[in-house]
């Protein structure tokens, strides 16, 4: 994962949550409303023509049986399709328009060839060779070449403004036809390079070489030229419309064919608006957090919503929500105090009372389930923690804590996290820790964490990845700056020995699983003994699918066991494209 900027896709709900009774009332009302309007509130979706409006113009209705309406990823008006603008690009810029060399499949733990047919290491000579797929075309009709791939890699390697600069550090790429040879000046960071292969976009040299290097991550790219399955058709302040390319390379090479012709992504509204749009069939695929949606799953009320798991927890884990401390301040600089908090917290209180079973309690290491092969269960058994108020009080007594008030913060308006910190505060107060919850606005909260002006906070900036490397990088990264702006080591843990282990893991080929397991096992042991932060729960990849117009949504353990998210960093990096291609029209009601 690039470490320079946050992608923005992991934020929990920012809008008003509803009670269970309120949600059911709204759902009933929404179901009774007309489903004959488009998701933008315009004319009937039964209209026969697609929009021919220029970019920025009004979106007219598309044939409903040819259109997939999505939502839950964008909170503001679409404005940029630049895949390097990681925190701001419009839904689908990466994935629908631009594509990476490989895709990562978390369910199987492997990389799938995509724009690259293959990639092989000659570790002895520090060389990585890429065979670029033949017969791939840019949306302007020009062929994708090895030179495009080499230019994309060299831009990342040499341009500090490129968000993948650290992933491709030391790489020098040269193309001979559709073979690209990447030579590293010194021992590469294998984990960071592997992340580059499935996260970074391949861009057109002809198009992007026109952009000043300093603007590569900031220009709007409103007329994008990509290799992906769709083209940008039109957009306005509330919607973006894409059209499927009939000659997309993936149809012939991968057998992936979309049953819809248009994909319209709708800007997020309030929770009420989002749920109403889903229940009425105006939105088909929602990646928004909808409080109490579990009450409407499995056909209750006749809605037939689909989720990734058919039963609790319903949602796939996406990242780890952890209780983060400022470890430079008392009482947090005392390990016994941190252990007291770990044993005082019952994650199931949050899982059940805040999320209604939609999420899972985290493993004590904090590593996501897709990385279970790296978790040393012996270490967890010996050094892990669990809810035990008596043990919490014992560690608290050893810590010398005198009852002073400490604060716990999350951004204002993030209603699920606001409920979570109230629950955490109750658990901590039960053992004698005096906690006050505060909810600054999001920019102020971020400033507090980056400058170290905080006591405790909930954070979740260690996201789904193919190795544990980025997780431990975020915990132990050194040196500590006066302002930690890259979301690295916000808790300010000063452990040179563990940072050295993280660097060792990065310098170990990803094929050397024995060495990696040993290194990560030591990091897990140190983490559990030190508790620089406390993993609490796995924040979910929110997904709800309406079966009114489309069916065969992604579901665990089925033939469509693909990633059910169109969030930035998911679509175009993981297997969301498979999920979209597997959708089928819903049978017509009799």
């Amino acid at each position: 994962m690039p470490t320079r900027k946050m992608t923005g896709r992991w934020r929990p709900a920012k809008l008003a949550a509803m009670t269970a009774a309120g949600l059911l009332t709204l759902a009933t009302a929404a179901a009774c409303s007309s489903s004959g309007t488009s998701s933008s509130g315009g004319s009937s979706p039964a209209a026969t023509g697609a929009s021919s409006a220029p970019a920025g113009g009004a979106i007219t209705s598309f044939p409903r049986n040819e259109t997939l309406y999505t939502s839950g990823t964008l909170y503001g008006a679409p404005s940029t399709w630049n895949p390097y603008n990681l925190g701001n690009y419009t839904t689908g810029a990466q994935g629908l328009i631009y594509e990476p060399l490989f895709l990562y499949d978390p369910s199987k733990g492997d990389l799938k060839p995509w724009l690259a047919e293959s990639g092989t290491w000659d570790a002895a000579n520090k060389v990585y060779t890429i065979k670029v797929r033949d017969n791939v075309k840019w949306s302007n009709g020009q062929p994708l070449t090895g030179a495009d791939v080499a230019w994309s890699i060299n831009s990342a390697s040499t341009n500090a403004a490129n968000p993948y600069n650290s992933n491709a550090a030391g790489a020098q790429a040269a193309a001979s036809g559709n073979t690209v040879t990447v030579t590293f000046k010194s021992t590469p960071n294998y984990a960071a390079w592997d992340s580059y292969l499935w996260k970074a976009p391949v861009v057109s040299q002809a198009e992007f070489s026109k952009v000043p290097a300093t603007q590569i991550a900031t220009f709007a790219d409103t007329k994008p030229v990509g290799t992906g399955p769709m083209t940008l058709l039109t957009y306005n302040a509330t919607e973006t419309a894409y059209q499927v390319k009939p000659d997309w390379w993936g149809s012939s090479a991968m057998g992936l064919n979309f049953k819809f012709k248009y994909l319209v992504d709708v800007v997020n509204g309030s929770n009420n608006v989002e749920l109403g749009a889903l229940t009425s069939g105006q939105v088909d695929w929602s990646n928004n957090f909808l409080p109490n949606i579990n009450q409407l799953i499995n056909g209750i009320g006749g809605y037939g919503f689909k989720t990734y798991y058919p039963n609790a927890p319903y949602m796939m884990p996406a990242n780890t929500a952890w209780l983060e401390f400022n470890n430079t301040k008392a009482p947090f600089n005392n390990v016994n105090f941190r252990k007291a908090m770990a044993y005082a917290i019952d994650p199931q209180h949050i899982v059940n009372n805040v999320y209604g079973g939609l999420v899972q309690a985290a493993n004590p290491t904090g590593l996501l389930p897709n990385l279970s092969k790296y978790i040393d269960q012996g270490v967890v058994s010996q050094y892990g923690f669990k809810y035990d108020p008596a043990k919490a009080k014992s560690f608290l007594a050893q810590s010398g804590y005198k009852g002073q008030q400490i604060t716990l913060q999350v951004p204002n308006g993030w209603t699920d996290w606001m409920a979570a910190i109230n629950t955490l505060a109750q658990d901590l107060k039960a053992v004698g820790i005096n906690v006050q919850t505060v909810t600054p606005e999001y920019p102020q909260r971020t400033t507090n964490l980056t400058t170290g002006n905080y006591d405790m906070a909930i954070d979740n900036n260690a996201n789904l990845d193919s190795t544990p490397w980025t997780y431990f990088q975020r915990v132990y990264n050194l040196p500590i700056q006066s302002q930690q702006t890259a979301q690295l080591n916000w808790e300010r843990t000063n452990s040179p020995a563990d940072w050295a282990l993280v660097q060792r893991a990065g310098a170990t080929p990803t094929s050397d699983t024995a060495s990696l397991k040993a290194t990560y096992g030591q990091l897990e042991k140190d983490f559990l003994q030190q508790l620089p932060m406390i993993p609490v729960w796995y924040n979910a990849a929110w997904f709800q699918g309406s079966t009114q117009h489309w069916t065969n949504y992604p579901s665990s353990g089925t033939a469509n066991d693909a990633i059910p998210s169109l969030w930035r960093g998911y679509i175009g990096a993981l297997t969301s494209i498979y999920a979209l291609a597997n959708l089928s029209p819903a049978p017509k009601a009799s």
Side-chain angles (χ1 to χ4, degrees), residues 183-269:
T183 305
F184 288 83
K185 299 176 183 178
S186 58
T187 301
N189 184 322
Y190 292 95
W193 175 249
D194 269 26
S195 288
Y196 177 89
L197 293 175
W198 60 273
K199 294 177 181 174
V202 174
V203 299
S204 164
Q205 179 180 6
E207 299 295 326
F208 273 72
S209 62
K210 302 173 186 176
V211 180
T214 56
Q215 298 176 23
I216 195 168
T218 57
F219 82 104
D221 196 22
T222 55
K223 296 181 180 179
V225 176
T227 58
M230 301 183 196
T231 55
L232 175 62
L233 188 58
T234 185
Y235 63 95
N236 61 25
T238 60
E239 295 174 304
T240 306
Y242 297 97
Q243 183 168 1
V244 173
K245 288 195 304 193
D247 59 347
W248 176 52
W249 67 267
S251 297
S252 57
M254 310 297 288
L256 298 175
N257 295 288
F258 301 93
K259 314 319 185 286
F260 53 86
K261 186 175 181 180
Y262 307 102
L263 186 151
V264 177
D265 188 67
V266 184
V267 173
N268 274 21

Side-chain angles (χ1 to χ4, degrees), residues 284-338:
D284 304 304
W285 174 308
S286 172
N287 290 134
N288 196 59
F289 169 65
L290 299 177
N292 303 311
I293 190 66
N294 52 302
Q295 297 187 39
L296 301 179
I297 294 170
N298 295 329
I300 300 174
Y303 300 110
F305 293 151
K306 298 297 182 182
T307 51
Y308 185 67
Y309 298 120
N311 302 300
Y314 299 107
M315 308 292 168
M316 184 186 74
N319 55 77
T320 304
W322 53 37
L323 181 61
E324 193 161 53
F325 327 119
N326 184 340
N327 288 323
T328 64
K329 299 173 61 175
F332 310 103
N333 57 359
N334 186 299
V335 67
N336 287 322
F337 183 78
R338 301 196 297 271

Side-chain angles (χ1 to χ4, degrees), residues 188-535:
N189 184 322
Y190 292 95
W193 175 249
D194 269 26
S195 288
Y196 177 89
L197 293 175
W198 60 273
K199 294 177 181 174
V202 174
V203 299
S204 164
Q205 179 180 6
E207 299 295 326
F208 273 72
S209 62
K210 302 173 186 176
V211 180
T214 56
Q215 298 176 23
I216 195 168
T218 57
F219 82 104
D221 196 22
T222 55
K223 296 181 180 179
V225 176
T227 58
M230 301 183 196
T231 55
L232 175 62
L233 188 58
T234 185
Y235 63 95
N236 61 25
T238 60
E239 295 174 304
T240 306
Y242 297 97
Q243 183 168 1
V244 173
K245 288 195 304 193
D247 59 347
W248 176 52
W249 67 267
S251 297
S252 57
M254 310 297 288
L256 298 175
N257 295 288
F258 301 93
K259 314 319 185 286
F260 53 86
K261 186 175 181 180
Y262 307 102
L263 186 151
V264 177
D265 188 67
V266 184
V267 173
N268 274 21
S270 68
N271 286 341
N272 294 30
V273 170
E274 285 292 305
L275 183 60
L278 187 69
T279 54
S280 65
Q282 294 174 307
V283 165
D284 304 304
W285 174 308
S286 172
N287 290 134
N288 196 59
F289 169 65
L290 299 177
N292 303 311
I293 190 66
N294 52 302
Q295 297 187 39
L296 301 179
I297 294 170
N298 295 329
I300 300 174
Y303 300 110
F305 293 151
K306 298 297 182 182
T307 51
Y308 185 67
Y309 298 120
N311 302 300
Y314 299 107
M315 308 292 168
M316 184 186 74
N319 55 77
T320 304
W322 53 37
L323 181 61
E324 193 161 53
F325 327 119
N326 184 340
N327 288 323
T328 64
K329 299 173 61 175
F332 310 103
N333 57 359
N334 186 299
V335 67
N336 287 322
F337 183 78
R338 301 196 297 271
K339 289 182 177 181
M341 287 192 290
Y343 284 100
I345 292 169
D346 186 354
Q348 288 301 133
H349 291 163
I350 292 175
V351 170
N352 298 330
N353 301 336
V354 176
Y355 289 104
L358 292 175
V359 301
Q360 303 174 49
N363 180 280
T365 66
L367 295 175
L368 287 167
N370 71 298
L371 298 177
S372 59
K373 68 180 181 181
Y374 291 105
I375 297 176
D376 189 325
Q377 298 300 338
V379 166
V380 174
S381 177
Q382 184 173 358
Y383 300 102
F385 56 89
K386 61 182 179 180
Y387 179 54
D388 188 335
K391 188 170 287 189
K393 291 178 181 179
S394 175
F395 278 116
L396 191 63
Q398 298 175 54
S399 73
Y401 173 67
K402 303 300 182 182
Q404 62 267 38
Q405 186 180 82
I406 56 179
T407 60
L408 171 56
Q409 63 179 276
V410 296
N412 184 40
W414 291 24
T415 53
D416 53 337
W417 281 21
M418 291 166 69
I421 61 172
N422 288 334
T423 299
L424 289 172
Q426 292 173 8
D427 283 351
L428 295 171
K429 288 177 181 178
V431 301
I433 299 175
N434 183 9
V435 178
Q436 178 186 9
T437 61
V438 292
T439 55
E441 295 301 317
Y442 176 76
Q444 183 60 54
R445 169 266 191 185
T446 302
T447 298
N448 293 344
L449 268 64
T450 58
T451 60
N453 184 29
Y454 77 103
D455 290 340
M456 298 191 296
I458 295 295
D459 191 29
N460 64 334
N461 63 14
N463 303 316
L464 191 151
D465 217 317
S466 53
T467 74
W469 189 81
T470 54
Y471 181 90
F472 287 113
Q473 180 200 26
R474 276 158 172 71
V475 177
Y476 290 114
N477 191 80
L478 292 177
I480 299 171
Q481 308 289 339
S482 58
Q483 182 160 325
Q484 298 279 73
T485 57
Q487 294 193 309
L488 303 176
N489 197 355
W490 278 357
E491 80 286 359
R492 292 161 170 77
T493 298
N494 187 11
S495 178
D498 288 299
W499 178 231
L501 287 172
V502 174
Q503 293 173 299
R504 180 197 298 174
T508 303
T510 51
S511 58
D512 188 355
T513 55
S515 296
L516 287 173
K517 286 181 178 180
T519 301
Y520 288 129
Q522 183 61 52
L523 282 166
E524 291 160 20
K525 177 181 177 181
D526 293 351
F527 179 90
L528 292 173
Q529 289 183 307
Q530 300 161 359
L531 287 181
M533 71 263 290
I534 300 172

